[in-house]
Amino acid sequence: MKIQYDSQRVAYPFFIAAMVLFGAQILFGLLIGVQYIWPETLFPAIPFNIARMIHINLLVVWLIFGFMGSAYYLLPEEVEGEIYSVKLAYLHCVLFVIGGATAIVGYLFRWHDGREFLEQPTVIKVAIVIVVLMFIYNMIMTMVKGKKTTGVTVVLLIGFLGLAVFYLFAFYKPDNMVVDKYFWWWVVHLWVEGVWELIMAAILAFLLIKLTGVDREVAEKWLYIIVGLTFMTGIIGTGHHYYWIGTPEFWQTWGAWFSAIEVLPFAAMVAFTFKMISKKTREHPNRAAILWTVGAAVLSFLGAGVWGFMHTLPQINYYTHGTQITASHGHLAFFGAYVVICLAMISYATPIIRGVKVSNQKLEIFAFWTMVVSMLFMTFALTGAGILQSYLQRVLAYSYMETQGYMSLFYGLRLFFGVTFMFGLAIYLYDFFTIGRKEKHLN
Ligand code: HEM
Ligand code: HEM
Ligand SMILES: [Fe+2]
């Protein structure tokens, strides 16, 4: 397949940054997985809290690189025109790399702010806002200059605008801990169960249109349904974080009802995906990209929908709040939704950008199953740990540390599947970095 617009190539450096940081994220994941079992590992050089911070910050940063790269790749085809400024795109890519790298190195030297996911020191936060604004400006100008406006680009833009707006709450740090937590969720929850879902749905729609050849009208109708369901459920669904933090009691009712139906947009993405695949009018040669795309719908439904629903009712969350159940859901949801949709786009776009027909399908498909099965089993291990923990600690009232002693088998399993995950990722990265290096180029 030939690239249609030259400026789509600007996606590639974003994908490279994303893949390098993804590798680093998992290395730190393995380190904290090891520290769970041998707590003295690398202490005091890289203590658990710092390595954990790096693990989850790298995740968020590389996903945003993945989203931006995906946007730059799909925009020209959608609006039928080149990216407004390729230079600006390169510039904010480099700035983001510098900002991200400074933050991570800074963490190693204990330069951080202290709130989970938002540990970036204020100057880095300002840099992130500037980068995102540069990106959004470029995106809007590309849409304005382009020939067409499509539902995919509008939904994508709303997603990115929301990403920027809600991040602003990261600057607000009230002294009162209840108020602090209350607004902390306006970033974390309204990102992953709100505006990021729009970004995901838009990328999913684009990929399905390209991979199946089904009419845009069909895809965009589904896209609007998903967007509607996301807003209808996710906003008030924030209440599922307000059960026990000192917020008014009515949240137990509102949070329960609305978050219970947060499953709907994810179920709609599954229905959408299978509908499109069943109506496909062409056999796309990139089977790996199809697999990742279908995987994003199915795994996000499992991780966010099923594993989210599992502990979202206050009657259950009373026992599971903050246990390994939360971690099991956090892993499968972030992976299934946002990691997999980024990898779907990267698998689809990279061969085209690199001027070859397809990537090494055998390797990519093997990497897909290795990573997916590993993540599923990591999730099962954590779920087992969480059930045991809820029972011993919350029902029988064992102490925290005594409970942890009984959970070591599950932590061992988590580490084992973390290692196999890394193996799958290594294969994926090998393929990603060799695409178009040996084969004859088409253009
Ligand atoms: C892709 C979407 C989602 C992602 C990435 C995600 C991720 C996460 C993460 C990382 C946490 C832990 C936050 C922390 O305390 O540090 C969390 C908590 C939680 N999530 Fe999700 N989530 C998603 C969707 C959902 C959905 C759809 C539901 C409900 C159906 C849900 C229900 C919950 C609940 C109830 C908690 C609080 C757990 C506790 O009390 O400890 N999530 N989520
Ligand atoms: C793409 C894959 C991965 C994603 C999306 C991911 C995501 C996350 C997230 C969102 C958290 C915070 C969750 C919470 O506190 O509820 C977290 C924590 C953690 N992750 Fe990962 N992770 C991944 C891979 C790994 C791997 C391979 C390991 C290796 C064993 C690992 C080990 C850990 C550990 C030990 C924690 C700390 C949990 C705690 O504080 O109890 N992760 N990860
Ligand atoms: Fe939430």
Side-chain angles (χ1 to χ4, degrees), residues 62-75:
W62 87 252
L63 288 177
I64 295 176
F65 267 113
F67 292 159
M68 287 177 171
S70 302
Y72 277 133
Y73 182 83
L74 69 76
L75 274 172

Side-chain angles (χ1 to χ4, degrees), residues 56-57 59-64 67-68 96 116-120 125 128-129 132 136 158-171 183-200 230-231 234-235 238 240-241 262 266 334 337-338:
I56 59 177
N57 275 255
L59 169 69
V60 174
V61 170
W62 87 252
L63 288 177
I64 295 176
F67 292 159
M68 287 177 171
F96 198 23
E116 197 193 359
F117 288 106
L118 308 177
E119 291 99 342
Q120 310 83 18
K125 286 198 179 88
I128 293 174
V129 171
V132 174
I136 289 177
I158 298 173
F160 275 109
L161 286 171
L163 184 153
V165 168
F166 289 117
Y167 186 67
L168 296 179
F169 288 95
F171 290 92
F183 288 106
W184 179 79
W185 285 112
W186 283 34
V187 189
V188 178
H189 170 99
L190 290 177
W191 262 10
V192 299
E193 288 155 79
V195 291
W196 284 30
E197 240 174 280
L198 306 190
I199 297 178
M200 172 181 175
T230 301
F231 281 134
I235 298 174
T238 317
H240 64 181
H241 303 295
E262 272 187 49
F266 291 97
F334 255 113
Y338 303 120

Side-chain angles (χ1 to χ4, degrees), residues 22 25-26 29-30 32-33 36 48 52 55-56 59 116-117 324 326-327 330-331 334-335 339 375 378 414-415 418 421:
F22 185 16
Q25 181 224 328
I26 299 307
L30 288 177
I32 45 182
Y36 248 91
F48 176 83
R52 184 186 194 279
H55 176 59
I56 59 177
L59 169 69
E116 197 193 359
F117 288 106
Q324 293 299 327
T326 308
H331 277 87
F334 255 113
F335 175 76
V339 171
M375 185 46 77
M378 238 179 89
R414 183 249 305 267
L415 182 57
F421 185 92

Side-chain angles (χ1 to χ4, degrees), residues 136-439:
I136 289 177
Y137 172 73
N138 214 4
M139 181 170 180
I140 292 176
M141 289 309 286
T142 305
M143 289 169 71
V144 170
K145 299 254 164 176
K147 281 207 207 84
K148 282 194 345 200
T149 307
T150 65
V152 170
T153 54
V154 171
V155 172
L156 194 63
L157 179 62
I158 298 173
F160 275 109
L161 286 171
L163 184 153
V165 168
F166 289 117
Y167 186 67
L168 296 179
F169 288 95
F171 290 92
Y172 178 50
K173 289 177 285 185
D175 289 330
N176 182 307
M177 220 170 124
V178 177
V179 184
D180 181 323
K181 272 286 172 189
Y182 185 91
F183 288 106
W184 179 79
W185 285 112
W186 283 34
V187 189
V188 178
H189 170 99
L190 290 177
W191 262 10
V192 299
E193 288 155 79
V195 291
W196 284 30
E197 240 174 280
L198 306 190
I199 297 178
M200 172 181 175
I203 299 175
L204 182 69
F206 173 81
L207 284 169
L208 286 171
I209 292 169
K210 298 290 157 177
L211 291 167
T212 64
V214 175
D215 281 350
R216 169 176 300 278
E217 288 70 47
V218 181
E220 295 201 330
K221 190 188 74 195
W222 277 96
L223 183 58
Y224 298 136
I225 295 174
I226 295 164
V227 172
L229 287 172
T230 301
F231 281 134
M232 239 175 63
T233 63
I235 298 174
I236 301 179
T238 317
H240 64 181
H241 303 295
Y242 297 162
Y243 298 154
W244 331 111
I245 63 166
T247 30
E249 220 171 274
F250 64 78
W251 280 116
Q252 290 182 15
T253 315
W254 287 85
W257 283 104
F258 279 84
S259 70
I261 53 171
E262 272 187 49
V263 179
L264 294 177
F266 291 97
M269 280 196 256
V270 175
F272 169 39
T273 302
F274 283 99
K275 190 95 197 157
M276 293 286 283
I277 298 278
S278 72
K279 285 187 168 179
K280 71 170 183 251
T281 59
R282 72 161 80 109
E283 263 335 302
H284 199 280
N286 196 340
R287 285 172 299 123
I290 298 176
L291 200 53
W292 282 111
T293 306
V294 175
V298 173
L299 292 161
S300 64
F301 174 72
L302 274 181
V306 178
W307 255 259
F309 183 77
M310 206 161 77
H311 61 160
T312 206
L313 299 178
Q315 292 84 344
I316 295 169
N317 192 266
Y318 179 75
Y319 296 99
T320 60
H321 180 56
T323 63
Q324 293 299 327
I325 295 286
T326 308
S328 74
H329 155 70
H331 277 87
L332 195 59
F334 255 113
F335 175 76
Y338 303 120
V339 171
V340 177
I341 197 69
C342 281
L343 296 182
M345 190 61 165
I346 290 172
S347 283
Y348 171 76
T350 309
I352 303 175
I353 294 173
R354 303 288 301 158
V356 296
K357 192 154 170 273
V358 282
S359 52
N360 184 332
Q361 297 288 291
K362 269 210 193 101
L363 275 188
E364 277 226 0
I365 290 171
F366 181 73
F368 172 88
W369 286 111
T370 311
M371 279 153 89
V372 167
V373 170
S374 302
M375 185 46 77
L376 283 172
F377 277 93
M378 238 179 89
T379 305
F380 299 150
L382 291 172
T383 308
I387 293 171
L388 184 63
Q389 184 181 13
S390 306
Y391 185 67
L392 295 182
Q393 197 181 318
R394 301 279 161 76
V395 180
L396 301 185
Y398 283 27
S399 76
Y400 178 82
M401 283 317 288
E402 198 180 359
T403 306
Q404 293 294 318
Y406 289 102
M407 291 156 70
S408 51
L409 169 68
F410 293 111
Y411 293 139
L413 288 171
R414 183 249 305 267
L415 182 57
F416 177 82
F417 291 110
V419 171
T420 58
F421 185 92
M422 182 76 226
F423 176 64
L425 174 59
I427 292 169
Y428 188 87
L429 292 179
Y430 168 80
D431 186 58
F432 172 80
F433 283 105
T434 51
I435 291 176
R437 301 217 183 271
K438 286 180 292 230
E439 303 92 328

